[in-house]
Amino acid sequence: MIEAGDVRKTFTVRERTGRLRRTRRRVSAVDGVSFTVAPGEFVGYLGPNGAGKSTTIKMLTGILTPTSGTIRVCGLDPSRQRTALARRLGVVFGHRTTLWWDLPLRDSLALVRRLYRVEAGAHRERLDELTALLDLGPFLATPVRQLSLGQRMRGDLAAALLHAPDLLVLDEPTIGLDVVSKATVRAFLERLNTERGTTILLTTHDLGDIERLCRRVMIVDHGRLAFDGSLDALRATAGSGRILVVELARPEPPVAVDGAAVERVEGPRQWLRLPGDANAASVVAALAARHEVRDIALREPDIEEIVARLYQGEIPYTAAH
Ligand SMILES: Nc1ncnc2c1ncn2[C@@H]1O[C@H](COP(=O)(O)OP(=O)(O)OP(=O)(O)O)[C@@H](O)[C@H]1O
């Protein structure tokens, strides 16, 4: 569905370096990224701010042309065959709407039908289905500018899917949504993928989206693909380990136990990181033999923490392969 081969995008930015002087600087936004996405996959595309995610998405959707490398999306070259690709592709940017601000949602969706030249019968059927799935009924007659963010996002999803695309590309579709709206959007996307077989590429900073939806995760950092694998592989990152929180009878210097490293000390509490293969029971036994332990708790690493540590360079991406 998507094939990207050694894709690069370089921007030239002009900078003021003195009162009258300007210099040009080259920014390598995407620096040799290669991957393929098969039909029916649901892939999360992650990365810290400025890593190159939006630039990649803009190249996949034909908005930007790569400086070098090859891209095929639905068998087409996005920058050369943008119109043909638009018929096969749906795109939703969480930050902005593609709907007409002053028109009621229903009229906006009718214009989308004309844009994509969807046959009237097929449109009605599809609109009914999307209205039911996304619960659009109560606000179809409301002008887009009066919709709440969650309602507007559901309207945008409907607009992107009215022409039944094979591939849906989402850029932060749950940004700013409350927990209930997020759950609605996530449940809808899951159904779209499993029941309709729509391939989905999802860019987000919300790791809840990723955990709930994606079987595969790609992480881009400094313009390069730093990780490409399953969510389980990411969770099992060698350096991630579990955290043992120990409450001692009194404040003590960091304890010394084989197979654990003290990460934090707060009064009588100490946080020990256990490597992936460590035996928690023997660490606890060793601790109890030498210290008066009041309480212990074992925490599994959460995905948010693992990703933060990867971004900060505390664990190498290679550990996640
Ligand atoms: N039009 C542009 N001109 C110059 N530099 C750009 C342009 N677009 C992006 N960049 C630079 O390219 C790099 C990657 O930007 P990009 O927007 O792709 O990152 P991102 O991963 O989407 O970030 P975020 O999570 O903050 O949205 C950044 O250093 C950014 O400043």
Side-chain angles (χ1 to χ4, degrees), residues 11 13 27 29 48-55 205:
F11 293 107
V13 282
V27 177
N49 291 131
K53 301 179 296 296
S54 299
T55 307
H205 288 297

Side-chain angles (χ1 to χ4, degrees), residues 145-172:
R145 71 184 135 72
Q146 287 175 15
L147 297 180
S148 75
L149 189 58
Q151 292 168 336
R152 203 268 285 153
M153 188 60 71
R154 277 139 67 198
D156 261 303
L157 276 168
L161 292 165
L162 271 175
H163 62 299
D166 303 318
L167 172 66
L168 179 64
V169 175
L170 304 159
D171 193 353
E172 301 250 26

Side-chain angles (χ1 to χ4, degrees), residues 46-82:
L46 282 181
N49 291 131
K53 301 179 296 296
S54 299
T55 307
T56 310
I57 286 198
K58 285 177 190 160
M59 290 192 285
L60 294 178
T61 52
I63 298 170
L64 284 176
T65 308
T67 309
S68 67
T70 53
I71 301 183
R72 306 293 284 179
V73 178
C74 305
L76 301 166
D77 178 338
S79 54
R80 295 221 177 101
Q81 296 167 289
R82 203 169 153 187

